Amino acid sequence: QLQLVESGGGLVQPGGSLRLSCAASGFTLDYYNIGWFRQPPGKEREGVSCISGSGGRTNYADSVKGRFTISRDNAKNTVYLPMNQPHSEDAAIYYCAAVRFSITADRGMCIMDARPYVYWGQGTQVTVSS
């Protein structure tokens, strides 16, 4: 069965750092386009970052640009999201998602919209507090 599992969340202080991980089982992540999303309390889910299945394309929400960095390690079948200088608005449940396109050229896309993604993890909680 195809599955994504997020980890690395927890309590972080402003000025600190965390590294979120998204590990896949049942499929190989290097064939898939990956997205990170988050849902703050009382708000809708929003796109945070994405990375293409090929070509090395990445993208970030303006609110996290320069502070978060997405990367993938194909040997470990894992995608990472290091978080630096967290703000109170970064507190949320973070989800990773994956989709594979039949057309190989589409695997170079970086997608911030949640609708195309098929596989989702259960989320990991990030709390920002002093």
Side-chain angles (χ1 to χ4, degrees):
Q1 183 176 357
L2 305 182
Q3 188 176 25
L4 296 173
V5 180
E6 302 95 339
S7 62
L11 178 64
V12 62
Q13 296 180 330
S17 64
L18 285 176
R19 188 182 71 169
L20 305 185
S21 299
C22 176
S25 62
F27 65 103
T28 302
L29 275 181
D30 53 325
Y31 297 158
Y32 287 76
N33 302 58
I34 307 297
W36 279 100
F37 299 84
R38 68 185 182 188
Q39 187 165 20
K43 297 184 178 181
E44 297 182 354
R45 184 173 298 182
E46 63 180 348
V48 177
S49 184
C50 58
I51 187 167
S52 62
S54 62
R57 185 186 301 271
T58 61
N59 198 14
Y60 301 90
D62 289 341
S63 59
V64 307
K65 190 172 297 183
R67 300 187 297 114
F68 295 6
T69 305
I70 191 170
S71 65
R72 61 196 307 165
D73 187 335
N74 291 338
K76 296 183 178 180
N77 210 24
T78 302
V79 177
Y80 301 101
L81 187 71
M83 304 169 57
N84 296 318
Q85 297 180 312
H87 305 332
S88 60
E89 60 266 28
D90 295 323
I93 301 175
Y94 283 74
Y95 302 88
C96 65
V99 62
R100 182 185 180 186
F101 294 102
S102 297
I103 301 175
T104 56
D106 291 343
R107 298 170 188 174
M109 301 174 60
C110 191
I111 305 170
M112 297 287 285
D113 193 298
R115 289 173 290 180
Y117 290 96
V118 176
Y119 302 104
W120 290 80
Q122 293 299 305
T124 185
Q125 178 75 53
V126 173
T127 302
V128 182
S129 177
S130 61

